[in-house]
Amino acid sequence: MCGIFGVMDKRRQMMDGSGIREALSMMNERGSGEGAGYVAYGIYPDYRDCYALHVFFDKACESKAVIDATLEQWGTIEHDEAIPTCDQPGLRVNCTPWRYFFRPDASLAPGSATPEKDVVTNLVMQINAGANGAEVVSSGKNVGVFKSGGAGSWPEAVADYYRIQDYEGYIWLAHNRYATNRPELWERPDPFNLHDWSVVENGKTTTYGANRRYVESFGYNCSTGTDSEVIAYLIDLLVRKHGLDINLAIRALAPPYWDEIDRMPEAEQNLNRALRFAYGSATMNGPFTVVAANPDMMVGFTDRGKLRPMVVGECGDRLYIASEETAIRAMEPNVESIARPAAGEPVIGRVAP
């Protein structure tokens, strides 16, 4: 089940969270009331050069001192504060959401092509693997994840708890969870984020074990036991670490069937065979639709049989990707075009430089 939604303004014009809240709430039948979340890009212009670390503390007083000390080992805390919230009837709160604006010490990753991001990656993996009562749920520049799990976590309640309407971003992703296990943990619902990349997914990959072992062989730590977390790390690995173009990364994650490859022109056959051989352990099987974003783009892709829906809309400079057309029309009643891409046909939208 699950309902996913993404919207991107190609000219980086800002949108507040009220329209995204309305769009996600149109897909309440896709959720169980035990998890929902939002992620937005462009929401922290005053700290645009810092990494915004959103952290869930089980016990704020005890856990925060540990995380403060850890962050000071990896860089400099420019500012930190509790994330503003507003209690909602029926939403059971079991942690304290906090945010840090952090500058990593790039000298701690000598020889890296992306030293700051390597430092942040290692920091996130260390904190989330530790028994410190803290979980980092987003870690990018000028981006933030807002989510909750457990009883009463419907899209409207989660949006109102975090006062989503007070934030303005040029890319938004949102997810309404149909919980199948551990619904009480706030870190388990989508979205999942690692610095630049954020992911929401509708579905369930059957290759979770193989995919997890693959990314963990490169030093990632999968702490929540969810396939969406693994997908976020896979995209970061293929695009940032291995240098693949996003088109090739998607083709590696959701490749054509072998019989389809056999019918391709020779050069295309060779490329797709090479991707399948090189990234066989990264290949995702099972029913899924994924919408992912970084500061410069939003992408959507499905499994090779399109066992989960993906609807795409466009209106002016805005691109929409959702589980249902009704969610797009809830935010943009005058949407100019609606399309339903074929299985294996990715959608890639890019913002202006």
Side-chain angles (χ1 to χ4, degrees):
M1 291 292 286
C2 298
I4 58 177
F5 185 85
V7 57
M8 178 193 76
D9 191 287
K10 298 176 183 178
R11 297 191 179 275
R12 299 181 188 261
Q13 297 300 305
M14 307 301 268
M15 302 165 273
D16 69 40
S18 57
I20 288 79
R21 175 191 185 278
E22 178 67 17
L24 193 63
S25 69
M26 292 299 294
M27 298 185 288
N28 269 353
E29 77 285 352
R30 288 184 167 273
S32 60
E34 296 171 301
Y38 304 81
V39 59
Y41 288 80
I43 60 174
Y44 294 132
D46 293 342
Y47 293 95
R48 67 175 73 246
D49 295 325
C50 295
Y51 287 82
L53 308 180
H54 284 200
V55 183
F56 289 163
F57 288 129
D58 290 345
K59 297 178 180 179
C61 293
E62 300 173 14
S63 303
K64 185 176 183 303
V66 176
I67 300 307
D68 286 356
T70 301
L71 292 178
E72 288 166 0
Q73 294 174 355
W74 292 84
T76 304
I77 300 170
E78 293 290 334
H79 177 70
D80 71 282
E81 63 186 6
I83 296 176
T85 57
C86 181
D87 290 346
Q88 299 298 306
L91 177 63
R92 185 175 62 194
V93 178
N94 60 14
C95 66
T96 301
W98 204 270
R99 60 190 173 203
Y100 293 87
F101 297 99
F102 175 73
R103 293 184 186 274
D105 182 354
S107 68
L108 297 175
S112 169
T114 54
E116 285 192 352
K117 291 176 182 175
D118 275 341
V119 170
V120 171
T121 298
N122 293 334
L123 172 64
V124 170
M125 300 302 134
Q126 176 183 322
I127 292 174
N128 289 357
N132 47 36
E135 187 85 13
V136 181
V137 296
S138 64
S139 53
K141 286 185 176 181
N142 211 4
V143 61
V145 167
F146 306 88
K147 62 182 179 178
S148 82
S153 293
W154 291 102
E156 303 93 330
V158 176
D160 294 343
Y161 176 73
Y162 286 109
R163 298 158 52 181
I164 288 296
Q165 69 276 8
D166 294 345
Y167 294 91
E168 292 190 336
Y170 63 93
I171 299 176
W172 285 83
L173 304 182
H175 181 267
N176 182 16
R177 184 186 187 213
Y178 191 92
T180 55
N181 53 43
R182 306 289 301 274
E184 74 281 0
L185 297 180
W186 273 42
E187 63 268 23
R188 284 186 67 88
D190 295 13
F192 281 88
N193 165 275
L194 182 63
H195 38 73
D196 280 355
W197 284 102
S198 302
V199 165
V200 292
E201 179 207 12
N202 169 26
K204 192 71 174 177
T205 61
T206 58
T207 48
Y208 170 79
N211 298 155
R212 175 175 177 169
R213 287 190 295 273
Y214 181 69
V215 293
E216 289 190 333
S217 73
F218 290 93
Y220 296 85
N221 174 65
C222 302
S223 60
T224 66
T226 65
D227 49 359
S228 300
E229 178 189 36
V230 173
I231 295 168
Y233 297 166
L234 281 170
I235 294 174
D236 177 66
L237 173 66
L238 270 58
V239 175
R240 181 176 66 90
K241 301 290 284 184
H242 291 183
L244 295 187
D245 176 82
I246 187 62
N247 288 280
L248 291 181
I250 292 173
R251 201 178 302 187
L253 296 175
Y257 291 109
W258 285 112
D259 62 340
E260 294 175 12
I261 295 175
D262 291 339
R263 295 192 295 270
M264 294 177 179
E266 184 178 358
E268 197 171 349
Q269 281 188 38
N270 293 338
L271 172 62
N272 282 278
R273 287 193 177 119
L275 285 171
R276 292 216 61 172
F277 286 133
Y279 292 106
S281 296
T283 298
M284 296 158 44
N285 283 324
F288 63 83
T289 295
V290 173
V291 181
N294 72 14
D296 301 316
M297 70 178 74
M298 182 174 72
V299 303
F301 61 97
T302 68
D303 64 84
R304 295 167 292 178
K306 200 179 181 184
L307 299 175
R308 290 292 184 270
M310 183 172 76
V311 183
V312 178
E314 292 188 74
C315 187
D317 292 323
R318 293 186 179 173
L319 172 68
Y320 300 86
I321 305 176
S323 297
E324 296 183 8
E325 179 179 341
T326 185
I328 297 174
R329 293 192 180 277
M331 185 173 178
E332 181 48 75
N334 300 317
V335 62
E336 295 165 355
S337 68
I338 290 289
R340 292 168 175 80
E345 180 183 340
V347 175
I348 302 174
R350 302 179 188 271
V351 298

